[in-house]
Amino acid sequence: MRILIAEDELLERKAMKKFIEQNFADMTVVGEAVNGRMAIELAAAEKPDVIFMDIKMPGINGLEAIREIHKVHPQTKFILVSAYDSFDYAKEAMQYGIKDYILKPGKKEEIVKAIMRIKKELEAEKEQQQQSRAIIEERFLQHARKQKGAGELVALKQQLFPEMKSGNFLVITFSDHKHGDQLEEVLASICPYTFIYQLAEERVIVCILADVVMGKAELLSMAKKISNQLAGAVYIGIGFPVKRVEKLYQSYEQAYTASLQLATDQKSNFSFPSEKVQDTARGNLLEALVGLVEKGNGDEAVQLFQQYHVQFSESMLEELYLNIKSLFMERDMELGVRAYSMLKTSEDWCDFLLLSCMHMQQLHQSKQYMEQVKQYIAEHYQEPLTLEKVAATVQLSTNYFSNLFKQELGETFTDYIAKIRMQQAKKLIESNQYTLKEISYMVGYNNPNYFSRVFRKHFNESPKQFQRSIFK
C-alpha cells in the first residue's frame, strides 16, 4: 500500500513516517508534502493509495488539496489529521470519501485501526475490480471468437487492451486435466505479452494481445516452450497473428483447426494450420452437416454446428445454406424456413438446421407412409377401398392423408386405385383363364359395365376389344 503524508510540521511528519515503516512491512511512504500545493503535485506523480492529510497547512489547506486531488484521483483514500476537533471540517470532508479523522497527537491504536480499515477496503475494491475485469475479459474472448459483433469487440479492446498492436489465438488440446491447472503459470513464464484464456473441457483457448506486431517465428518458439513444459499429449494449434481486433476470429478458426489436426495425426505437438488442412476440414464439415440434414438428424446437426461453427466463414455459411436449399429443391420441397439474410447468429443457424431436419424427417416419414400404403393397396386392391379406410392403416387423418398421397405419388387416391386395378385386369385378361365378368369382380368392381368404362378410360379400348386384339 502506497502512502503519502501531507503535514507542515516536520516532527509530526517524520514520526508518522517512522511509525508506518516500522509497523507495516507491506506499506511504503512514497512522499512527504509540507503544504497543500505540494500534496497535489506528489499525488499526481506518485498516485498513492492513502494520504494522511493535515487540515491546517500554509497556502492551500488540507480540504482544498483534497478537493483538487479527488477530481483527478477519486479512488484515493484520505485520513484527516488535525489538532482541532472540528465537526465542520469532518462534515465537509465526508463528501470526498474521508475514511478517518485523527486528532493530534494521534494515538498509535487509532492510527493502526485507521490504516487497517482502509487496507481492508482497498483489498475488497481490488478483488471487486478483478472480478469485474474477469467478466469483461470473458465477454471479450467470446466476441473475439465470433465473426459478428465487431463494434462491441472494438469497444472492449479500447477498454481492456488499448495498446494492442496485434493478437492471435492458441488452442491447446490435452489428454490430462492437470495440464489445465498448470497452464496459467506456464503461460505467464513464457508469454511476454498480455493474455486471457478459458478452459473448455479438454482444451484451453488462449488469446494473446501484444503491444508489438508478433511474427510467426516468435509464436512457434513460444508454442514449443509451452509444449516442452507441459509434458504429455499436448497439442497446440496456432492461429496467425492479426493487427485488427475484428479479425481475431480468423486466428481462432485457424488455431482450432490446427489443434484438431495435430491431435488426429499425432506427428507434431504444435503448428499453424496448412491451407490444405483448412480446406479439407471445412469441406468435411460442410459435407457432414448437409448429410445430417438430408437424413433429418436434427440433434446431431445442431451439435456438430455448435462444436465447429467458429470455423465457418461467411462464404462457408452461404455454401451451407445453398446446399441445404438444393436438397429441398431436388425433392420438390419449399425450404421456406428462413431467408439467408435472417441467419445472423449461431442460435439462428441452429434453429434453421433443426427446422430443416424436421422437414426432412416429415419427408422420410411420408415416404414410409406411402410405402406402407402402396403395399396395402397391392394386397387389397380387389376389396372395397375407401380413402378413410386406407388412411386409418397408417393412422393419419383423411384430409392430411389425401394431400400427402397426392404430394408423394403425384395423383389422387381414386386415380391410383383405378390404375392398380386396371394393371391387374390387363394381366388377368392376358392369362385367358377368366371371363371379363369374373375379372371385373376379381379387381374390385361389382358392376362389369362400370369396370368396362374405367378400362376404356385408361387404355382407350374396352376390355373385350383388348381381349380380341391379343388373341387375334
Side-chain angles (χ1 to χ4, degrees), residues 26 57 64 86 98 121 146 165 215 233 246 261 283 295 313 319 328 333 344 349 376 389 418 423 430 452 468:
D26 57 344
M57 288 188 293
E64 291 171 332
S86 173
I98 304 302
E121 186 173 335
K146 298 177 182 178
K165 296 292 189 298
E246 309 96 293
Q261 191 62 37
K295 294 174 185 176
S313 63
E319 185 179 352
F328 280 73
M333 296 171 62
K344 300 183 182 300
W349 275 97
Y376 182 83
K389 181 177 181 180
Q423 290 172 352
E430 289 169 351
S452 181
R468 285 174 180 171

Side-chain angles (χ1 to χ4, degrees), residues 300-315:
E300 291 182 45
V302 169
Q303 184 177 358
L304 184 65
F305 182 82
Q306 287 176 331
Q307 187 173 359
Y308 297 109
H309 76 274
V310 292
Q311 298 188 39
F312 282 79
S313 63
E314 196 70 36
S315 60

Side-chain angles (χ1 to χ4, degrees), residues 1-18:
M1 197 162 75
R2 297 165 62 80
I3 297 175
L4 172 65
I5 302 173
E7 167 65 64
D8 62 328
E9 295 183 18
L10 177 62
L11 293 178
E12 291 283 350
R13 194 170 63 248
K14 295 300 180 183
M16 180 68 75
K17 179 182 179 182
K18 183 178 180 181

